[in-house]
Amino acid sequence: MVLRESILEVLNAISKRDTTQFDRGDISFIIVAGAMVSFMIPGLAFLYSGLARRKSALTLIWAVTASNAVCIFQWYFWGYSLAFSPTATNGFIGNLAHFGLMDVLGDPSPGSPLIPDLLYAFYQMEFACVTVGILVGGIAERGRVLPAMVITFLWMTLVYCPLACWPWNINGWAFKYGVLDYAGGGPVEIGSGVGGLAYAWVLGRRQKEELLNFRPHNVSMVNLGTFILWFGWLGFNGGSAFGANLRAVMAVWNSMLAAACGGIVWCLLDYRLERKYTMVGFCSGTIAGLVAATPASGFIHPWAAVIMGIITGAVCNYATKVKFLLRMDDALDLFAEHAVGGILGLLMNGFFASRSIIALDGVNTNVPGGWVDHNWKQLYIQVAYICATCSYSFVVTALIAKCVNAIPGLHLRTTAEGEKLGLDEVEIGEFANDYIEVRRDFMDWTAFGNGIGTRQPSAAGDRHGQPDLAQQDQQQNLRAEELSSDSTEEKSIELPQADAASP
């Protein structure tokens, strides 16, 4: 009886809500944009898998997929409340007022009055899922997946939620300070890029032999993942206007321009060194441009997006060398792509953010821009925000990783033997590709089939290029028996001839 009365009270409260205050076009637009952002998850998985060695390709797909599930639960459990509860006033992190999505329904959202709170929670959840998908790229080729999932939950709680609260919660210190961060240069890009670098640092470098002759195992998958990400990024940046308005269209245009210019510049810089138009280079530059557009696309004019794309493509290209200076094995260049790209996008807001672009949504009509609006202090506001997000992300992520690593059974890194065999066999037991391949080492095979090579061609399922030893020994024994029988037959033929010729 009590339960029935409670249900009736909820239904009465719902029926009394003013649902006419939201435009159904805006709501539909954000639902579709959220679905597009969700589609970035398989894009990330394919991109990472293609960039990795074949023997660890499926592990990265699994890690991105599983981190998505962990993030969805965390966001429902308390993530949304810790990031966006409007009643918390400490400026650092929210409270548990919306624990388990309590009282999250049809009120105007804390991010925009154009959409309801429940839809805003869904849309922001997809941002968080993409962010942790980027982060788990730090385990590439040597990290265990179970500890990575534990770190995902803790990282969402202790790193992402505070970072999201700072610029997007009305009581966040960065929001009050006047930081311009449109779609997540701090929480999404710097958080995942710097956090991924810290994670890779705690994991340690891959073995020396695993670093030799490293190259992506499937460039076609890299390209596929990049274009899926590009498609989803239009919902990521366009939807951050929180309505079907001109600011959303401007954000889409700026994202396209920055991605195109970034891809072209990166590719040309690679051509300068290798005289090849590399596909991986073009995809890397495209993603770098999209990363820079994340914090800036809703603030700047299209001409500024072109400048931003050119600068980002060049700077991020050179930033891939930073990991060698720091001696950190950032295998997928999370820092160079996401952290540096996010930093550049935030800096572009200090120079090029325009009040006229910001006001296109019809809501933020009094937000000052950057230097183009003679708001000179905006640049140092952006710099202070960048320093805070970078330092917080690195320190707290490293502490989380070290603490989890100290728990029995949750050591972060696989064994040396596991790294040699590949994480697909050790961690997953399945493989991204299963086909017959002649080994890539030139001296291990011959086109003439005369047995010159030292190893037999092996199936992809057999330790990804490491043939099954028992099967190989059996083949070698059979070969030896054949050679022995051939030799015996030759001798039996030659001896009678020798006797006939003797005196």
Side-chain angles (χ1 to χ4, degrees):
M1 186 67 180
V2 175
L3 178 61
R4 181 174 178 273
E5 291 178 353
S6 299
I7 294 174
L8 289 174
E9 289 178 2
V10 172
L11 292 175
N12 289 332
I14 293 174
S15 64
K16 293 178 181 178
R17 292 182 186 273
D18 181 13
T19 58
T20 61
Q21 61 182 312
F22 304 116
D23 183 275
R24 292 190 177 184
D26 290 338
I27 292 177
S28 300
F29 175 69
I30 300 303
I31 291 174
V32 172
M36 292 172 66
V37 176
S38 179
F39 194 46
M40 295 174 71
I41 304 300
L44 266 175
F46 291 150
L47 173 69
Y48 284 174
S49 176
L51 287 172
R53 278 191 173 88
R54 182 164 52 90
K55 62 184 180 181
S56 297
L58 189 64
T59 302
L60 286 170
I61 295 179
W62 192 99
V64 173
T65 303
S67 68
N68 178 63
V70 172
C71 180
I72 290 171
F73 173 75
Q74 192 275 351
W75 198 250
Y76 158 78
F77 187 67
W78 61 22
Y80 178 68
S81 186
L82 292 177
F84 292 104
S85 56
T87 56
T89 58
N90 59 64
F92 176 77
I93 194 171
N95 54 30
L96 297 179
H98 293 314
F99 176 83
L101 292 184
M102 290 190 302
D103 299 323
V104 178
L105 200 59
D107 293 329
S109 73
S112 172
L114 299 177
I115 59 173
D117 201 6
L118 188 63
L119 178 56
Y120 184 76
F122 160 71
Y123 186 69
Q124 288 292 346
M125 178 187 72
E126 296 304 330
F127 275 46
C129 290
V130 172
T131 305
V132 296
I134 299 169
L135 175 76
V136 296
I139 74 171
E141 303 196 341
R142 78 268 201 206
R144 297 175 62 225
V145 294
L146 176 59
M149 296 307 103
V150 176
I151 287 176
T152 293
F153 188 90
L154 296 175
W155 190 87
M156 277 292 303
T157 302
L158 299 176
V159 179
Y160 184 82
C161 288
L163 290 180
C165 177
W166 297 354
W168 292 335
N169 192 310
I170 57 174
N171 293 315
W173 70 263
F175 182 89
K176 293 180 178 179
Y177 192 40
V179 168
L180 298 179
D181 189 351
Y182 177 65
V188 178
E189 307 302 352
I190 291 178
S192 62
V194 174
L197 182 69
Y199 195 174
W201 174 64
V202 175
L203 272 174
R205 294 167 62 85
R206 286 167 290 176
Q207 297 180 74
K208 184 177 180 181
E209 56 267 26
E210 297 298 321
L211 294 172
L212 298 175
N213 196 30
F214 175 78
R215 61 186 182 190
H217 96 279
N218 192 329
V219 178
S220 297
M221 192 172 288
V222 173
N223 180 262
L224 175 63
T226 299
F227 272 87
I228 291 176
L229 284 172
W230 195 340
F231 172 78
W233 230 302
L234 301 183
F236 198 102
N237 291 346
S240 292
F242 301 116
N245 50 56
L246 277 178
R247 192 182 185 194
V249 180
M250 183 62 71
V252 168
W253 257 112
N254 288 336
S255 301
M256 298 293 284
L257 288 169
C261 294
I264 292 170
V265 170
W266 191 303
C267 189
L268 290 177
L269 286 174
D270 282 357
Y271 180 83
R272 180 186 103 261
L273 298 174
E274 302 177 14
R275 293 296 185 266
K276 297 290 189 299
Y277 301 103
T278 64
M279 188 74 257
V280 172
F282 206 107
C283 291
S284 299
T286 298
I287 292 173
L290 289 166
V291 168
T294 299
S297 58
F299 291 127
I300 63 177
H301 289 277
W303 58 264
V306 173
I307 297 174
M308 179 176 67
I310 294 171
I311 293 174
T312 302
V315 175
C316 290
N317 181 290
Y318 288 108
T320 58
K321 309 299 185 293
V322 173
K323 63 184 179 183
F324 301 111
L325 298 176
L326 299 176
R327 297 189 62 78
M328 295 182 184
D329 188 8
D330 184 9
L332 302 180
D333 286 321
L334 303 184
F335 177 78
E337 294 266 10
H338 295 276
V340 175
I343 289 170
L344 291 173
L346 289 168
L347 291 176
M348 293 300 110
N349 287 340
F351 291 108
F352 301 128
S354 173
R355 182 194 302 266
S356 62
I357 300 298
I358 302 171
L360 289 175
D361 60 6
V363 176
N364 299 287
T365 56
N366 295 315
V367 178
W371 282 18
V372 295
D373 288 341
H374 306 291
N375 182 22
W376 312 115
K377 67 178 182 179
Q378 190 62 48
L379 184 59
Y380 72 72
I381 291 175
Q382 299 296 109
V383 171
Y385 175 64
I386 290 168
C387 293
T389 52
C390 287
S391 56
Y392 182 82
S393 298
F394 189 90
V395 172
V396 179
T397 303
L399 288 175
I400 292 172
K402 284 187 173 293
C403 289
V404 171
N405 190 51
I407 299 174
L410 291 181
H411 52 280
L412 302 184
R413 184 164 180 154
T414 188
T415 62
E417 181 66 17
E419 186 178 344
K420 182 178 180 181
L421 294 176
L423 296 182
D424 286 2
E425 175 167 335
V426 175
E427 292 283 305
I428 309 300
E430 298 168 322
F431 307 99
N433 305 289
D434 195 12
Y435 57 89
I436 303 299
E437 181 190 77
V438 174
R439 289 179 59 86
R440 290 184 176 185
D441 297 328
F442 178 78
M443 294 305 296
D444 284 348
W445 67 282
T446 172
F448 302 101
N450 55 8
I452 294 176
T454 59
R455 293 190 182 97
Q456 299 293 327
S458 61
D462 293 336
R463 294 179 173 82
H464 282 262
Q466 298 288 340
D468 184 85
L469 296 179
Q471 181 181 4
Q472 185 176 352
D473 292 340
Q474 184 179 6
Q475 292 174 347
Q476 290 176 348
N477 292 334
L478 290 173
R479 180 62 176 167
E481 291 175 1
E482 291 174 359
L483 292 174
S484 177
S485 62
D486 292 344
S487 176
T488 303
E489 291 174 0
E490 290 176 359
K491 290 180 179 179
S492 63
I493 294 172
E494 294 172 358
L495 286 174
Q497 293 177 352
D499 293 339
S502 61

